């Protein structure tokens, strides 16, 4: 592909509703062979598996095998963190396969209580130490994308970026609401660059294999895999209620959260914050970022088979509303931002709406209005949606809504 910078890609993307192509959305309640699905049993035995298989083989890619945690190393545990209101743990998960090793660290804050607690888990973009001012959070040595405004040069994280993303993680609000928060630096699982010689992928290579096969995992599936391994750890940690773990992610990490929730049914709920193309937004609308753009700018995110749909979205036998439907009947929250046109807010809303018939099979309430809600007016059912004012970001408003919704549907 010719390289297109994100700025120029955004410039010539379609943002005109009248230029959205006409398209027919596949019916989540009709099998690829045209059989109507009338109940949750048939959904689970026939339709859900074929959809999951399609997304696995043609979009995110298959994980080529199983790998258990080799060892859990509690690097540090403090009974009194965040001014005494929380317990803090930094837990290192180590993986070994084919003579190679990978480890990643989960930073966990839990409210102080005797009970096991529900938890939000999500990745961060620039290291665990960015989400809090807490000076005891260890700085990752993994490769990071340069970001001079955070003092990140030479792909190394330093003390200078401590606390720079506190605005995106309302740790105090989360703890005060009785939830724990676990975060992981995504670069420890797979550095976000078009290079399959690093991160988790090589641990699965056979002989002199250099990269995944065309149906095998890109980076989004690799990051999702990491979340599932974190879940393996939560199952072992008595302070965490593993039946109440909500996976959260923003943007590319929102795509990751959706895929983690779809592919691993142990997650009790999913929050997609501004996930856009390849996440909650319908591909067939070709609004903002498209299948072509995303594979062009980020060739490593999806499996190679997904390239068959570049400028060919009409050939897709699925769309992203069916990714959301794979999460049913578990609660899912899709959120957009008004100025984040690149992520196609309307396409995100429509996905939530068109996933609703699958939730209805379980007697769960999805999105019941066909028009998008007003700005900053969340609709919170088992399927929830909001569009807030502002840009592509995670804000206190977003977290306030997620907490309120999770208190109702998860806690
Ligand atoms: C953009 C990309 C989006 C979204 C975003 C992000 O460059 O085009 O798909 O993932 O990055 O992750 O912030």
């Amino acid at each position: 592909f010719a390289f297109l910078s994100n700025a120029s890609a955004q410039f010539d993307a379609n943002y005109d509703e009248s230029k959205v192509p006409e398209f027919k959305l596949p019916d989540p309640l009709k099998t690829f062979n045209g059989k109507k699905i009338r109940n949750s049993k048939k959904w689970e035995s026939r339709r859900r598996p074929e959809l999951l298989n399609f997304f696995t083989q043609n979009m995110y890619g298959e994980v080529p095998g199983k790998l258990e945690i080799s060892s859990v190393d509690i690097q540090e545990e403090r009974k009194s963190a965040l001014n005494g209101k929380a317990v803090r743990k930094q837990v290192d998960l180590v993986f070994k396969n084919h003579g190679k090793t990978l480890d990643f660290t989960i930073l966990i804050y839990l409210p102080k209580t005797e009970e096991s607690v529900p938890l939000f888990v999500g990745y961060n973009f620039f290291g665990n130490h960015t989400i809090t001012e807490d000076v005891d959070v260890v700085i990752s040595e993994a490769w990071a994308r340069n970001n001079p405004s955070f003092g990140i040069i030479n792909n190394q994280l330093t003390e200078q970026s401590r606390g720079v993303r506190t605005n995106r993680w309302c740790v105090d609000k989360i703890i005060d609401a009785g939830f724990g928060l676990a975060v992981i630096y995504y670069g420890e699982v797979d550095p976000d660059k078009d290079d399959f010689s690093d991160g988790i992928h090589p641990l699965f290579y056979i002989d002199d294999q250099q990269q995944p096969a065309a149906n095998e995992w890109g980076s989004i599936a690799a990051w999702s895999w990491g979340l599932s391994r974190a879940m393996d750890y939560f199952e072992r940690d008595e302070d965490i209620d593993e039946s109440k773990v909500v996976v959260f992610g923003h943007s590319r990490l929102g795509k990751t959260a959706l895929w983690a929730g779809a592919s691993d049914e142990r997650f009790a709920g999913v929050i997609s914050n501004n996930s856009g193309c390849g996440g909650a937004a319908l591909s067939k609308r070709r609004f903002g970022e498209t299948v072509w753009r995303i594979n062009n700018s980020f060739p490593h995110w999806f499996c190679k088979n997904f390239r068959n749909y570049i400028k060919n979205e009409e050939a897709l036998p699925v769309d992203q509303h069916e990714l959301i439907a794979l999460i049913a009947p578990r609660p899912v929250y899709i959120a957009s931002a008004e100025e984040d046109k690149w992520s196609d807010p309307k396409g995100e809303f429509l996905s939530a709406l068109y996933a609703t018939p699958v939730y209805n099979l379980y007697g769960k309430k999805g999105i019941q209005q066909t028009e998008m809600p007003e700005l900053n007016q969340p609709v919170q059912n088992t399927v929830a949606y909001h569009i807030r004012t502002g840009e592509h970001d995670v804000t206190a408003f977003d977290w306030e809504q997620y907490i309120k919704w999770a208190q109702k549907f998860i806690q």
Side-chain angles (χ1 to χ4, degrees):
F1 316 99
F3 180 75
L4 256 175
S5 79
N6 225 24
S8 64
Q10 298 202 18
F11 184 70
D12 57 33
N14 177 43
Y15 293 121
D16 180 348
E17 203 52 52
S18 73
K19 294 205 174 103
V20 169
E22 271 190 39
F23 60 88
K24 202 171 169 315
L25 220 49
D27 181 348
L29 295 182
K30 206 174 250 174
T31 67
F32 291 139
N33 286 331
K35 269 212 157 25
K36 183 89 189 120
I37 299 294
R38 294 179 202 281
N39 54 54
S40 59
K41 236 178 132 182
K42 281 277 178 329
W43 162 258
E44 285 172 22
S45 65
R46 298 239 172 129
R47 183 59 170 153
R48 190 179 186 280
E50 70 173 14
L51 283 172
L52 183 62
N53 186 55
F54 186 89
F55 281 106
T56 304
Q57 298 301 324
N58 299 285
M59 195 166 172
Y60 302 102
E62 180 178 309
V63 182
K66 283 217 180 328
L67 188 56
E68 313 251 307
I69 301 171
S70 315
S71 61
V72 173
D73 173 12
I74 311 282
Q75 290 189 331
E76 184 257 5
E77 184 163 1
R78 178 82 53 92
K79 293 282 170 223
S80 193
L82 302 179
N83 296 322
K85 74 161 82 168
V87 171
R88 181 187 65 230
K89 304 185 195 193
Q90 298 184 70
V91 179
D92 202 35
L93 304 186
V94 183
F95 301 88
K96 291 187 194 294
N97 211 18
H98 297 145
K100 298 176 189 118
T101 302
L102 178 115
D103 68 288
F104 64 83
T105 303
I106 317 175
L107 166 66
I108 305 170
Y109 289 109
L110 302 173
K112 274 192 188 169
T113 156
E114 294 300 303
E115 325 253 290
S116 61
V117 295
L119 182 86
F120 294 103
V121 59
Y123 281 116
N124 56 68
F125 285 83
F126 290 107
N128 294 345
H129 69 294
T130 62
I131 75 136
T132 164
E133 305 285 353
D134 186 340
V135 294
D136 293 313
V137 175
V138 175
I139 299 179
S140 173
E141 286 170 11
W143 182 94
R145 275 184 300 136
N146 284 337
N147 185 325
S149 67
F150 293 165
I152 306 169
I153 47 169
N154 302 324
N155 305 112
Q156 282 304 305
L157 298 168
T158 65
E159 195 56 49
Q160 215 184 313
S161 43
R162 186 177 301 281
V164 294
R165 278 288 165 82
T166 49
N167 57 315
R168 285 192 174 184
W169 299 91
C170 296
V171 186
D172 287 288
K173 285 194 169 91
I174 291 169
I175 298 292
D176 292 344
F179 288 86
L181 174 67
V183 299
I184 305 162
Y185 170 47
Y186 82 139
E188 293 193 342
V189 178
D190 189 20
D192 192 358
K193 53 187 157 118
D194 185 17
D195 178 352
F196 284 103
S197 68
D198 55 15
I200 188 63
H201 294 96
L203 274 76
F204 289 80
Y205 291 163
I206 314 276
D207 302 329
D208 56 358
Q209 190 180 347
Q210 305 286 324
Q211 55 177 311
N215 69 327
E216 287 177 351
W217 53 347
S219 292
I220 291 174
W223 298 320
S224 302
W225 175 90
L227 290 165
S228 288
R229 301 293 72 76
M231 180 56 118
D232 296 346
Y233 166 75
F234 302 147
E235 289 180 331
R236 301 182 190 185
D237 187 329
E238 289 185 350
D239 299 333
I240 294 168
D241 181 347
E242 72 270 17
S243 72
K244 293 183 177 168
V245 177
V246 179
V247 58
F248 158 87
H250 169 62
S251 203
R252 68 197 67 183
L253 300 175
K255 310 178 207 295
T256 301
L258 286 167
W259 183 236
S263 58
D264 188 337
E265 293 181 86
R266 294 174 299 169
F267 290 107
V270 181
I271 300 168
S272 152
N273 191 91
N274 309 177
S275 64
C277 180
L282 293 175
S283 303
K284 290 177 194 279
R285 278 172 49 80
R286 299 187 180 191
F287 189 101
E289 190 171 31
T290 61
V291 172
W292 172 63
R293 302 281 195 213
I294 203 164
N295 280 290
N296 187 58
S297 339
F298 307 102
H300 57 294
W301 282 1
F302 301 91
C303 73
K304 294 221 169 60
N305 281 342
F306 193 39
R307 297 179 188 177
N308 295 331
Y309 299 97
I310 288 176
K311 299 194 171 176
N312 187 25
E313 288 89 339
E314 58 283 359
L316 268 171
V318 301
D319 211 330
Q320 299 306 99
H321 60 308
E322 291 167 315
L323 174 69
I324 294 166
L326 290 174
I327 298 164
R330 293 163 293 149
V332 61
Y333 201 133
I334 309 296
S336 311
E338 183 188 18
E339 291 165 35
D340 183 20
K341 302 256 187 284
W342 183 239
S343 297
D344 186 13
K346 185 170 178 191
E348 297 191 307
F349 169 75
L350 290 176
S351 263
L353 174 66
Y354 294 134
T356 290
V358 178
Y359 280 81
N360 292 340
L361 288 183
Y362 292 89
K364 302 277 181 191
K365 244 194 203 177
I367 302 295
Q368 292 173 300
Q369 58 195 74
T370 54
E371 292 298 313
M372 286 177 80
E374 297 294 308
L375 291 172
N376 306 321
Q377 298 293 322
V379 177
Q380 298 195 348
N381 296 316
T382 301
V383 182
Y385 178 83
H386 75 236
I387 176 166
R388 63 155 168 78
T389 41
E391 50 186 37
H392 187 70
D393 199 357
V394 193
T395 67
F397 175 87
D398 291 321
W399 271 111
E400 282 155 17
Q401 311 320 310
Y402 301 150
I403 291 168
K404 193 170 145 207
W405 168 79
Q407 284 179 315
K408 183 156 178 205
F409 292 98
I410 306 282
Q411 202 169 34

